[in-house]
Amino acid sequence: MLVITLFFSLLRPHNTTVYAPKLKHADKQHAPPPIGKGLFAWFSPLVTTHEDQLVDKVGMDAVIFLRFTKMCRNMFLVLSIVGCGILIPVHILESSDYPTGSPTERAFATMTPQYVLEGTPMWSHVVCTWVFDITIVFFLWRNYRAVARLKRLYFESSEYRTSLHSRTLWLADIPHDERSGPGLLKILGSIDKTAGTPQAYVAWDVKDLPELIEQHDQAVRKLESILAKYLKNPDKLPTSRPMLRPSKNDRKASQVRQIDAIDYLTNRIIGLRARIYGVREEVGKRERDSDGPKNSNRKVMPYGFATYESVEEAHSIAYAARKYRMGGVSIQLAPKPNDLIWDNLALAKGSRKAKRFMNNIWVALLTVVWIIPNSMIAVFLTRLSNLSAVWPAFAATFDANPTTWAAVQAVAAPGLTSLVYLLLPILFRRLQIRAGDMTKTSREHHVMNRLYAFFVFNNLIVFSTVSGIWLFVTLVIGSHNDNESVWDAINTGDLPSKIMVALCTFSPFWVTWLLQRNLGAAVDLAQIINLTWIWFARTFMNPTPRQTIEWTAPPPFDYASYYNYFLFYSTVSLCYATIQPIVLPVTFLYFVIDCWLKKYLLLYVFITKTESGGQFWNVLFNRVLFATFLANCIAALVIKAAFGSWTMLGCMLPLPIILLVFKIYCTRTFEDQCKYYIGASVKKDPEAFSNVNEKSHQNSILAVKFGNPALFKLLMSPMVHEKARHLLSEIDGGRLGSDSASTAAYSDIAMGHMSSTVPGKPAASTKAGGIIKYVPDANLDFAFYKNDPAFSSEHGGGGELYDRVQTPAPSAAGGSRTGSRANSPARGFAIGSKHAPYRDGGYDSDVTMNTRGRGFYTHSNDSESDRRLLTGAQSVGVADEPGREDYFQDGASEYGQLGLDRWRPGGSGYVGVPGVEDEDQPLAYDTYRPAKGAL
């Protein structure tokens, strides 16, 4: 471990892309403290950066994670002193017999109660169990109180109070008759008639848009991969073009076995884009033509959102509605929009229950099936002597090389168990995706819960006791064969004693395994797995430009997996605290090391993909209480097996009751403080809805912020290396073209793509237009794309960690969408009519919106007299998107149908109006855009 840490210290100053990407990319507010180039300079910021500062730097979820790690460190320090100071001397001094074997085996065996043959010394177990429970309860109470204080500070932070979701309520399972703005107001008004009137929005059915976009993105990534391999050496192309089997979702080509990959994927991308634009236009037309909520053409969804004037008002309504069940509607504080799983929001309550039930069935089957291989590992791999007893050929080798096989035995079982730990989170997360969870946070909670239950049942209870149960079963069978009754054989077998012996026998395995976890913590810090994989992919594979850029981005932190590891380590340690007390200081050592290493990783390397505001704490609190209760049961089993009296067991009966009372007390005292901003007076927000026109504008922004991203999401554009630009038009026939459309979508003035062969002449237009983005080697870095929604949504918590003005401008050939104008308003928002609704991360250039709040995909024809700004101004110029003509009848252009035929052909923009050449002119669109964070 020291070698790996030294390896990290040597490489860190010379590789900030891997070891400090947040220092390179984060804005001023979220940037971690500066770090020097010295060998151990990375340790100083960890000491000087305190918890209150971390909330702004890493977010509330990361702060709760670090607080839980420190709580475990401090808690196991106290438990180690008590356990090792009392139980180990008692076990050694009171042993009536001494084990045989190597010195190490004898040392481990004498520290357990296996050879304590009198019941009196077991009073020490009763006393230590009480001390352990009181210590755990104290640390949980102390940290729950601290978490409540942190949540209060979080609710009062400027970043939270200026976010729209902080004062927005989410209504789910809305009855059909109430699925309208007035219906939502009626529901909310029945909760508190004195509250102000919120801005309400009911979601629309987006049909199959999410599925189409997913298929489009998959096709784009597949095309990028094929082009990266085919164009690896542009000067010497392979003799044959790549082939593939068409997608099963493509009904037209699904019967074809092999087809030209580049031609097929190019046509599929163009076709999917046209279908996506067509569905978006249909949704907008359906809303524009509907007259009311009962119109048959208007299909609304069973969920909606309502925004209040202030955070205090929204939280007070949510607090009052926490037990509201009228009509089955559920009302709660809205999470961040990127936390919602939009595909599951439309599911009925019965469908979610059915999905949840089936998911539980699959998890239960997986848990039961794993018992068999897990038992084989426990019986044979942890004790190779058992394997030699049933395999004569292996017995000869085992007896001839005892030292070698002892080393294999010490490493094989923990190593295989650790490999399973890496794969199980992936499997459980895929199962949970189908379970109907409506938020990513709840999905991660369920993933962690199922992982923890699986690990505790299979890898602790079954793994540790199966050999004892197997021994008990063999004794019962043998006694029955000797004509002894089964009941007498069970009584003679003494099952508690066999299980206690099995637990004592397995204690060295858990000590070794926990020591290996310390090595795993160092490996996480050094990013050895990540470095190895990137080196292998760069050397032996053909990474796409997108993959290369993603490798330089801050990776998301897997809270569910790490929390599961910490909880499982703690559960193992607590359950073995009275059996093998040496496990307590080993666990304490792990948390001492990981407390600092994880703090560095969260400060400088990892990001929180979906910030929940610290909602993991309740789950952690409940799991620690369960681990304590399970440890009490194990302690009672050990006392009974070691000839303890019933009086001893009676003295332990109050412990579960104390834990239950403590749970109820903390729930009633702290839980509401952690969920709601209560106890503060409701005050008017300076940005309150002051007039009808402003309400209309706020309602539009609510629809954009909490609208299904399938309606706004920028479609992914294929990324190709710049060195292959001159070949691509020959390979795909010019159908994908260049990145002109991408550039125009973020320009204030639409500019035609110029010909590369005839200077001063426009390039020949194609039906599809240009959607390719060429990336030179100098731009293969996340710094150039951190404001691109295709990257920031996965590697920047929805883009909140990066300041747009800090994004470097890519080279001219880069085709990056990032730059000083990376988020101009979309087409259809006249500058003077209303503030253009703005959504962080951008939205597709064809999406338009009616700012009346009634429809939000149509061109706004509202009167501009209320603003009197640039009356009659032309809408923002945007280039044609590929395939848009496909869904208009008679070949009519989109612009002709919308009455916008004054726009010049081949693109969109102002006619006869000189363009603004200086980007710093005071009439830049940011002048009319609402300031970020205003909502």
Side-chain angles (χ1 to χ4, degrees), residues 470-492:
W470 177 257
L471 178 61
F472 172 77
V473 171
T474 55
L475 290 175
V476 171
I477 294 175
S479 299
H480 180 65
N481 293 336
D482 294 336
N483 297 323
E484 187 178 356
S485 67
V486 175
W487 181 251
D488 291 338
I490 292 175
N491 291 330
T492 306

Side-chain angles (χ1 to χ4, degrees), residues 750-767:
M751 300 182 66
H753 191 58
M754 304 305 293
S755 172
S756 59
T757 57
V758 183
K761 298 295 183 180
S765 62
T766 63
K767 183 179 180 181

Side-chain angles (χ1 to χ4, degrees), residues 347-583:
L347 295 175
K349 186 181 296 185
S351 299
R352 291 199 303 271
K353 289 182 178 179
K355 284 178 172 288
R356 196 177 304 120
F357 175 77
M358 289 305 302
N359 183 72
N360 292 335
I361 294 294
W362 283 111
V363 171
L365 287 175
L366 178 62
T367 303
V368 172
V369 168
W370 181 247
I371 292 177
I372 298 175
N374 198 29
S375 301
M376 301 293 287
I377 296 173
V379 173
F380 298 113
L381 202 55
T382 58
R383 294 183 68 86
L384 293 176
S385 58
N386 294 337
L387 183 61
S388 65
V390 297
W391 188 6
F394 175 72
T397 305
F398 181 76
D399 294 336
N401 304 281
T403 304
T404 302
W405 287 111
V408 172
Q409 177 177 289
V411 175
L416 184 59
T417 305
S418 299
L419 179 61
V420 173
Y421 289 175
L422 294 176
L423 299 178
L424 275 178
I426 301 174
L427 178 60
F428 274 88
R429 189 169 283 107
R430 291 186 177 182
L431 285 175
Q432 199 60 41
I433 289 175
R434 303 174 181 270
D437 288 315
M438 293 194 290
T439 65
K440 297 173 185 176
T441 297
S442 65
R443 183 186 66 194
E444 291 302 294
H445 289 179
H446 291 146
V447 169
M448 188 191 76
N449 291 343
R450 281 158 176 74
L451 280 172
Y452 178 70
F454 181 92
F455 280 25
V456 169
F457 177 75
N458 261 313
N459 297 341
L460 178 59
I461 298 176
V462 173
F463 192 79
S464 298
T465 61
V466 67
S467 61
I469 296 174
W470 177 257
L471 178 61
F472 172 77
V473 171
T474 55
L475 290 175
V476 171
I477 294 175
S479 299
H480 180 65
N481 293 336
D482 294 336
N483 297 323
E484 187 178 356
S485 67
V486 175
W487 181 251
D488 291 338
I490 292 175
N491 291 330
T492 306
D494 192 8
L495 180 60
S497 178
K498 298 298 184 297
I499 293 178
M500 190 268 286
V501 171
L503 292 172
C504 295
T505 304
F506 265 88
S507 61
F509 166 83
W510 290 115
V511 174
T512 304
W513 184 78
L514 287 170
L515 287 172
Q516 287 184 352
R517 295 300 88 210
N518 289 324
L519 179 63
V523 170
D524 281 347
L525 177 67
Q527 296 286 288
I528 293 177
I529 297 177
N530 188 30
L531 285 174
T532 303
W533 166 247
I534 293 176
W535 169 82
F536 178 83
R538 288 180 183 271
T539 305
F540 301 104
M541 301 173 68
N542 302 291
T544 67
R546 188 180 307 276
Q547 291 172 329
T548 306
I549 294 169
E550 289 174 343
W551 288 338
T552 64
F557 191 76
D558 190 354
Y559 285 98
S561 296
Y562 281 108
Y563 274 135
N564 173 65
Y565 299 154
F566 286 5
L567 288 171
F568 184 63
Y569 304 159
S570 301
T571 303
V572 170
S573 184
L574 291 175
C575 289
Y576 271 84
T578 55
I579 299 172
Q580 180 56 274
I582 198 66
V583 77

Side-chain angles (χ1 to χ4, degrees), residues 512-735:
T512 304
W513 184 78
L514 287 170
L515 287 172
Q516 287 184 352
R517 295 300 88 210
N518 289 324
L519 179 63
V523 170
D524 281 347
L525 177 67
Q527 296 286 288
I528 293 177
I529 297 177
N530 188 30
L531 285 174
T532 303
W533 166 247
I534 293 176
W535 169 82
F536 178 83
R538 288 180 183 271
T539 305
F540 301 104
M541 301 173 68
N542 302 291
T544 67
R546 188 180 307 276
Q547 291 172 329
T548 306
I549 294 169
E550 289 174 343
W551 288 338
T552 64
F557 191 76
D558 190 354
Y559 285 98
S561 296
Y562 281 108
Y563 274 135
N564 173 65
Y565 299 154
F566 286 5
L567 288 171
F568 184 63
Y569 304 159
S570 301
T571 303
V572 170
S573 184
L574 291 175
C575 289
Y576 271 84
T578 55
I579 299 172
Q580 180 56 274
I582 198 66
V583 77
L584 293 171
V586 173
T587 307
F588 164 69
L589 176 63
Y590 172 83
F591 282 113
V592 166
I593 295 173
D594 225 32
C595 184
W596 296 108
L597 301 191
K598 288 299 188 290
K599 186 174 184 178
Y600 176 87
L601 291 175
L602 287 170
L603 260 176
Y604 293 96
V605 180
F606 289 105
I607 56 100
T608 300
K609 184 177 178 180
T610 305
E611 176 67 47
S612 69
Q615 293 183 26
F616 272 100
W617 173 254
N618 268 356
V619 185
L620 300 173
F621 177 82
N622 293 332
R623 295 305 170 273
V624 173
L625 286 179
F626 169 79
T628 307
F629 171 75
L630 183 61
N632 291 342
C633 295
I634 299 295
L637 175 67
V638 172
I639 292 172
K640 181 65 176 66
F643 307 102
S645 64
W646 288 104
T647 304
M648 297 179 185
L649 297 179
C651 291
M652 296 182 63
L653 283 179
L655 291 177
I657 300 175
I658 292 174
L659 295 178
L660 180 61
V661 172
F662 174 69
K663 158 68 177 172
I664 297 173
Y665 162 76
C666 287
T667 300
R668 294 182 176 179
T669 305
F670 301 115
E671 186 171 357
D672 288 340
Q673 297 181 34
C674 293
K675 285 185 178 180
Y676 308 103
Y677 185 52
I678 55 179
S681 59
V682 177
K683 54 187 178 182
K684 293 292 183 180
D685 192 283
E687 298 174 359
F689 312 125
S690 55
N691 56 61
V692 175
N693 293 323
E694 188 64 19
K695 287 183 179 181
S696 175
H697 165 58
Q698 302 288 355
N699 200 41
S700 300
I701 297 184
L702 175 64
V704 174
K705 283 280 190 178
F706 284 96
N708 194 311
L711 299 167
F712 303 91
K713 182 179 180 181
L714 283 163
L715 296 184
M716 187 182 293
S717 296
M719 304 182 79
V720 179
H721 286 286
E722 170 66 23
K723 62 183 180 182
R725 177 193 285 266
H726 64 288
L727 292 175
L728 195 61
S729 60
E730 301 175 7
I731 294 172
D732 74 340
R735 283 167 295 173

